[in-house]
Amino acid sequence: MSTREKMNMGELYTDMSEGLPEERRAGKERVYDFNLTRPSEEAKRLDLLKSIMGSLGKSCWIEPPLHVAYGSHIHIGNHFYANFNLTVVDDATVTIGDNVMIAPNVTLATAGHPIDPEIRITGQQFSLPIIIEDNVWLGTGVMVNPGVTIGRNSVIGAGSVVTKSIPADVVAAGVPCRVIRPITAADRETFLR
């Protein structure tokens, strides 16, 4: 099994082989250029985003600074918005659906390290894909851990640490993040609850 295959399956690997350091560096070079664009250079930003991401839908906007491990393992749908300081550790695939909104200082981390110190000091790590389905809103400072899926239409409250998958159509928050309540028709009448 190749290192790349291991990276999407939760198997232990080291990422210092099979051209991975060069791939990581290339992504970081493109992100560096993106982060140095002027606010008026919208077309240049879009071109750079297309070169960074594995795929990018239409009407997508990411406020710099952006931080990625590779960039090429991130797939974003249409009508996406991310505010300042999005960090994506995309050792495994990160799939983001349509109409997703991400507040400032959000981290999506597909990679982790073994708890056992004897294994951890070998430099091995594991990764699992993250999926953010359509119409999700991630509040300020949310952290999403490896292997998590956030179901369509759900809202994750500010400061949450999402350690387990969250179903569709709910408001969830906390450390660790848990479902608070379903999204209901009442949410059309009041915006904050």
Side-chain angles (χ1 to χ4, degrees), residues 10 12 111-126 145-146 163:
L12 290 176
H113 299 278
I115 292 173
D116 182 279
E118 289 183 23
I119 299 172
R120 191 172 59 244
I121 63 173
T122 67
Q124 295 184 85
Q125 61 188 58
F126 66 89
N145 285 357
T163 60

Short mmCIF file of all heavy atoms in Angstrom, two decimals, residues 10 12 111-126 145-146 163:
data_model
loop_
_atom_site.label_atom_id
_atom_site.label_comp_id
_atom_site.label_asym_id
_atom_site.label_seq_id
_atom_site.Cartn_x
_atom_site.Cartn_y
_atom_site.Cartn_z
N GLY A 10 -6.42 5.91 7.50
CA GLY A 10 -6.17 5.83 8.93
C GLY A 10 -5.02 4.92 9.31
O GLY A 10 -4.82 4.62 10.49
N LEU A 12 -0.98 3.98 9.80
CA LEU A 12 0.21 4.75 10.18
C LEU A 12 1.14 4.90 8.98
O LEU A 12 1.29 3.98 8.17
CB LEU A 12 0.94 4.07 11.32
CG LEU A 12 0.23 4.10 12.67
CD1 LEU A 12 1.02 3.31 13.71
CD2 LEU A 12 0.02 5.53 13.15
N ALA A 111 -4.96 15.03 10.00
CA ALA A 111 -3.83 14.25 10.53
C ALA A 111 -3.82 14.24 12.05
O ALA A 111 -4.23 15.19 12.70
CB ALA A 111 -2.51 14.81 10.01
N GLY A 112 -3.32 13.15 12.59
CA GLY A 112 -3.14 13.01 14.03
C GLY A 112 -1.93 12.13 14.32
O GLY A 112 -1.32 11.56 13.39
N HIS A 113 -1.59 12.02 15.57
CA HIS A 113 -0.43 11.23 15.98
C HIS A 113 -0.85 10.21 17.01
O HIS A 113 -1.78 10.44 17.80
CB HIS A 113 0.66 12.15 16.54
CG HIS A 113 1.15 13.14 15.53
ND1 HIS A 113 2.09 12.82 14.58
CD2 HIS A 113 0.78 14.42 15.28
CE1 HIS A 113 2.29 13.87 13.81
NE2 HIS A 113 1.51 14.86 14.21
N PRO A 114 -0.19 9.04 17.03
CA PRO A 114 -0.54 7.99 17.99
C PRO A 114 -0.43 8.48 19.43
O PRO A 114 0.44 9.30 19.76
CB PRO A 114 0.48 6.89 17.71
CG PRO A 114 0.95 7.14 16.32
CD PRO A 114 0.90 8.63 16.14
N ILE A 115 -1.29 7.97 20.29
CA ILE A 115 -1.23 8.31 21.71
C ILE A 115 -0.04 7.63 22.37
O ILE A 115 0.63 8.22 23.21
CB ILE A 115 -2.56 7.92 22.40
CG1 ILE A 115 -3.66 8.84 21.87
CG2 ILE A 115 -2.44 8.02 23.91
CD1 ILE A 115 -5.05 8.48 22.32
N ASP A 116 0.24 6.38 21.99
CA ASP A 116 1.36 5.64 22.58
C ASP A 116 2.67 6.35 22.25
O ASP A 116 3.01 6.54 21.07
CB ASP A 116 1.39 4.22 22.03
CG ASP A 116 2.49 3.39 22.66
OD1 ASP A 116 3.66 3.52 22.21
OD2 ASP A 116 2.19 2.64 23.60
N PRO A 117 3.46 6.74 23.28
CA PRO A 117 4.67 7.52 23.01
C PRO A 117 5.73 6.76 22.24
O PRO A 117 6.49 7.36 21.48
CB PRO A 117 5.16 7.92 24.41
CG PRO A 117 4.54 6.93 25.33
CD PRO A 117 3.25 6.53 24.71
N GLU A 118 5.81 5.44 22.42
CA GLU A 118 6.83 4.68 21.69
C GLU A 118 6.56 4.66 20.20
O GLU A 118 7.49 4.67 19.40
CB GLU A 118 6.93 3.27 22.26
CG GLU A 118 7.56 3.25 23.64
CD GLU A 118 7.73 1.84 24.17
OE1 GLU A 118 7.79 0.88 23.39
OE2 GLU A 118 7.79 1.71 25.40
N ILE A 119 5.30 4.64 19.82
CA ILE A 119 4.96 4.71 18.39
C ILE A 119 5.10 6.16 17.91
O ILE A 119 5.65 6.42 16.84
CB ILE A 119 3.53 4.20 18.14
CG1 ILE A 119 3.42 2.73 18.56
CG2 ILE A 119 3.16 4.36 16.66
CD1 ILE A 119 2.00 2.20 18.53
N ARG A 120 4.64 7.10 18.72
CA ARG A 120 4.66 8.51 18.33
C ARG A 120 6.06 9.01 18.04
O ARG A 120 6.27 9.75 17.07
CB ARG A 120 3.98 9.36 19.41
CG ARG A 120 3.72 10.78 18.99
CD ARG A 120 2.87 11.55 19.99
NE ARG A 120 3.48 11.61 21.31
CZ ARG A 120 2.97 11.06 22.41
NH1 ARG A 120 1.83 10.39 22.37
NH2 ARG A 120 3.59 11.17 23.58
N ILE A 121 7.06 8.59 18.84
CA ILE A 121 8.42 9.12 18.64
C ILE A 121 9.08 8.57 17.37
O ILE A 121 10.12 9.07 16.96
CB ILE A 121 9.33 8.88 19.87
CG1 ILE A 121 9.52 7.39 20.12
CG2 ILE A 121 8.78 9.61 21.08
CD1 ILE A 121 10.54 7.08 21.21
N THR A 122 8.45 7.58 16.72
CA THR A 122 8.98 7.10 15.44
C THR A 122 8.68 8.06 14.30
O THR A 122 9.16 7.87 13.19
CB THR A 122 8.40 5.71 15.09
OG1 THR A 122 7.00 5.84 14.84
CG2 THR A 122 8.66 4.70 16.20
N GLY A 123 7.84 9.09 14.57
CA GLY A 123 7.49 10.05 13.54
C GLY A 123 6.29 9.63 12.70
O GLY A 123 5.91 10.32 11.76
N GLN A 124 5.67 8.50 13.06
CA GLN A 124 4.50 8.06 12.31
C GLN A 124 3.27 8.88 12.70
O GLN A 124 3.20 9.43 13.80
CB GLN A 124 4.24 6.57 12.57
CG GLN A 124 5.35 5.68 12.05
CD GLN A 124 5.01 4.23 12.25
OE1 GLN A 124 4.31 3.65 11.42
NE2 GLN A 124 5.48 3.66 13.34
N GLN A 125 2.35 8.93 11.79
CA GLN A 125 1.08 9.62 12.02
C GLN A 125 -0.01 8.89 11.27
O GLN A 125 0.25 7.92 10.55
CB GLN A 125 1.17 11.07 11.58
CG GLN A 125 1.47 11.27 10.10
CD GLN A 125 1.74 12.71 9.78
OE1 GLN A 125 2.65 13.32 10.32
NE2 GLN A 125 0.96 13.26 8.86
N PHE A 126 -1.25 9.34 11.45
CA PHE A 126 -2.39 8.78 10.72
C PHE A 126 -3.22 9.94 10.20
O PHE A 126 -3.11 11.07 10.69
CB PHE A 126 -3.23 7.86 11.61
CG PHE A 126 -3.91 8.59 12.74
CD1 PHE A 126 -5.17 9.14 12.58
CD2 PHE A 126 -3.27 8.75 13.96
CE1 PHE A 126 -5.79 9.83 13.62
CE2 PHE A 126 -3.88 9.44 15.01
CZ PHE A 126 -5.14 9.98 14.83
N ASN A 145 -11.64 17.51 13.75
CA ASN A 145 -10.62 16.46 13.85
C ASN A 145 -10.72 15.44 12.73
O ASN A 145 -11.71 15.39 12.01
CB ASN A 145 -10.74 15.78 15.21
CG ASN A 145 -10.19 16.62 16.34
OD1 ASN A 145 -9.66 17.69 16.13
ND2 ASN A 145 -10.32 16.13 17.55
N PRO A 146 -9.70 14.58 12.61
CA PRO A 146 -9.67 13.58 11.54
C PRO A 146 -10.90 12.68 11.55
O PRO A 146 -11.39 12.27 12.60
CB PRO A 146 -8.42 12.75 11.87
CG PRO A 146 -7.55 13.65 12.67
CD PRO A 146 -8.49 14.51 13.45
N THR A 163 -14.99 16.28 17.49
CA THR A 163 -14.21 15.04 17.56
C THR A 163 -14.95 13.86 16.95
O THR A 163 -14.33 12.83 16.67
CB THR A 163 -13.86 14.71 19.02
OG1 THR A 163 -15.07 14.55 19.76
CG2 THR A 163 -13.01 15.80 19.65
#
